Amino acid sequence: MSMTSKFMSRRAVLGGTLAAALPLVAQGQDERGPADPESTNVRIRISFNNLTLTATLSDNPTARDLISMLPLNLKIEDYGRNEKIVHLPRKLTEEGSGAFGNEQPGDLCYVKPWGNLALFHADYRWDGLIRLGRFDNGFAPLLVRGEYPVRIERI
């Protein structure tokens, strides 16, 4: 076999391999993949300082693990300029987690390294999160600064 035909054969094999892999790569970048699942009809209520938020949860293992812990009576506090956090009593499963897009104020997320809930009221971007869901009717209660007892329950 000549050098030219070896080169052409390798090119054909490589080209065929790449052609087969491209649909898989494109599928992984789809806006709705395992890391950004569909919403469910499961909703939670987060109440603090005589204010209430409701959120519709995503269909992912982390959100289901959170639901299994409810109801919870904890503390909510400001964290940085764009979020409030709630320290959970234990870490949640991270099974099936991955990067997601379309980050926006009104997202309810789980912070993998620390095991907290993050409730976003301003722009954010960070890879260490799992989106649990989104707030249903805005996030104005999150703009009230301070630390408060919080109750989280399924509705």
Short mmCIF file of all heavy atoms in Angstrom, two decimals, residues 13 20-21 29 31 53 55 66 80 91 100 108-109 118 131:
data_model
loop_
_atom_site.label_atom_id
_atom_site.label_comp_id
_atom_site.label_asym_id
_atom_site.label_seq_id
_atom_site.Cartn_x
_atom_site.Cartn_y
_atom_site.Cartn_z
N VAL A 13 -11.34 6.95 7.44
CA VAL A 13 -11.75 6.42 8.75
C VAL A 13 -11.99 7.57 9.73
O VAL A 13 -13.01 7.61 10.42
CB VAL A 13 -10.69 5.44 9.30
CG1 VAL A 13 -10.97 5.07 10.74
CG2 VAL A 13 -10.64 4.19 8.43
N ALA A 20 -19.88 10.37 12.54
CA ALA A 20 -20.73 9.61 13.47
C ALA A 20 -20.82 10.29 14.82
O ALA A 20 -21.84 10.22 15.50
CB ALA A 20 -20.18 8.19 13.63
N ALA A 21 -19.76 10.97 15.25
CA ALA A 21 -19.73 11.60 16.57
C ALA A 21 -20.45 12.94 16.62
O ALA A 21 -20.96 13.34 17.65
CB ALA A 21 -18.29 11.79 17.03
N GLN A 29 -25.29 19.36 23.41
CA GLN A 29 -25.39 20.80 23.50
C GLN A 29 -26.82 21.29 23.36
O GLN A 29 -27.08 22.47 23.39
CB GLN A 29 -24.51 21.45 22.43
CG GLN A 29 -23.05 21.21 22.68
CD GLN A 29 -22.20 21.75 21.55
OE1 GLN A 29 -22.67 22.10 20.49
NE2 GLN A 29 -20.91 21.82 21.79
N GLU A 31 -30.42 22.50 24.17
CA GLU A 31 -30.85 23.30 25.31
C GLU A 31 -31.57 22.47 26.35
O GLU A 31 -31.54 22.76 27.53
CB GLU A 31 -31.75 24.45 24.85
CG GLU A 31 -32.06 25.41 25.97
CD GLU A 31 -32.85 26.61 25.52
OE1 GLU A 31 -32.68 27.03 24.36
OE2 GLU A 31 -33.62 27.12 26.33
N LEU A 53 -42.58 32.88 48.02
CA LEU A 53 -42.19 32.57 46.64
C LEU A 53 -42.71 31.17 46.34
O LEU A 53 -42.74 30.31 47.23
CB LEU A 53 -40.68 32.52 46.50
CG LEU A 53 -39.90 33.81 46.64
CD1 LEU A 53 -38.44 33.51 46.96
CD2 LEU A 53 -39.99 34.60 45.35
N ALA A 55 -42.08 28.01 43.38
CA ALA A 55 -41.21 27.59 42.29
C ALA A 55 -41.72 26.28 41.72
O ALA A 55 -42.21 25.41 42.47
CB ALA A 55 -39.78 27.41 42.78
N LEU A 66 -34.43 16.92 46.94
CA LEU A 66 -34.90 18.05 47.75
C LEU A 66 -36.33 17.81 48.22
O LEU A 66 -36.63 17.98 49.40
CB LEU A 66 -34.81 19.36 46.96
CG LEU A 66 -35.41 20.58 47.67
CD1 LEU A 66 -34.64 20.92 48.94
CD2 LEU A 66 -35.44 21.77 46.72
N GLY A 80 -23.69 37.68 48.55
CA GLY A 80 -23.25 38.48 47.42
C GLY A 80 -24.32 39.47 46.98
O GLY A 80 -25.24 39.78 47.71
N LYS A 91 -26.17 17.27 52.06
CA LYS A 91 -25.98 17.44 50.61
C LYS A 91 -27.02 16.62 49.85
O LYS A 91 -27.47 15.58 50.32
CB LYS A 91 -24.57 17.02 50.20
CG LYS A 91 -23.51 18.01 50.61
CD LYS A 91 -22.23 17.72 49.90
CE LYS A 91 -21.34 18.95 50.00
NZ LYS A 91 -20.24 18.88 49.06
N PHE A 100 -25.60 23.83 32.35
CA PHE A 100 -26.85 24.23 31.72
C PHE A 100 -26.71 25.65 31.24
O PHE A 100 -25.82 26.38 31.65
CB PHE A 100 -28.05 24.09 32.68
CG PHE A 100 -27.95 24.92 33.94
CD1 PHE A 100 -28.44 26.21 33.98
CD2 PHE A 100 -27.38 24.39 35.08
CE1 PHE A 100 -28.36 26.98 35.13
CE2 PHE A 100 -27.30 25.15 36.25
CZ PHE A 100 -27.79 26.44 36.27
N LEU A 108 -33.83 28.79 40.72
CA LEU A 108 -33.56 28.12 42.00
C LEU A 108 -32.54 27.04 41.70
O LEU A 108 -32.79 26.17 40.85
CB LEU A 108 -34.85 27.50 42.56
CG LEU A 108 -34.69 26.61 43.78
CD1 LEU A 108 -34.18 27.42 44.98
CD2 LEU A 108 -36.02 25.94 44.11
N CYS A 109 -31.38 27.10 42.35
CA CYS A 109 -30.29 26.18 42.04
C CYS A 109 -29.75 25.52 43.30
O CYS A 109 -29.98 25.98 44.42
CB CYS A 109 -29.14 26.92 41.35
SG CYS A 109 -29.58 27.61 39.74
N ALA A 118 -29.43 28.06 46.19
CA ALA A 118 -29.14 29.43 45.75
C ALA A 118 -30.38 29.94 45.03
O ALA A 118 -30.86 29.32 44.09
CB ALA A 118 -27.93 29.45 44.82
N ARG A 131 -29.55 23.38 38.29
CA ARG A 131 -30.82 24.11 38.31
C ARG A 131 -31.91 23.17 38.80
O ARG A 131 -32.11 22.09 38.25
CB ARG A 131 -31.19 24.65 36.94
CG ARG A 131 -32.49 25.47 37.01
CD ARG A 131 -32.96 25.97 35.66
NE ARG A 131 -32.06 27.00 35.17
CZ ARG A 131 -31.74 27.14 33.89
NH1 ARG A 131 -32.23 26.34 32.98
NH2 ARG A 131 -30.93 28.10 33.51
#
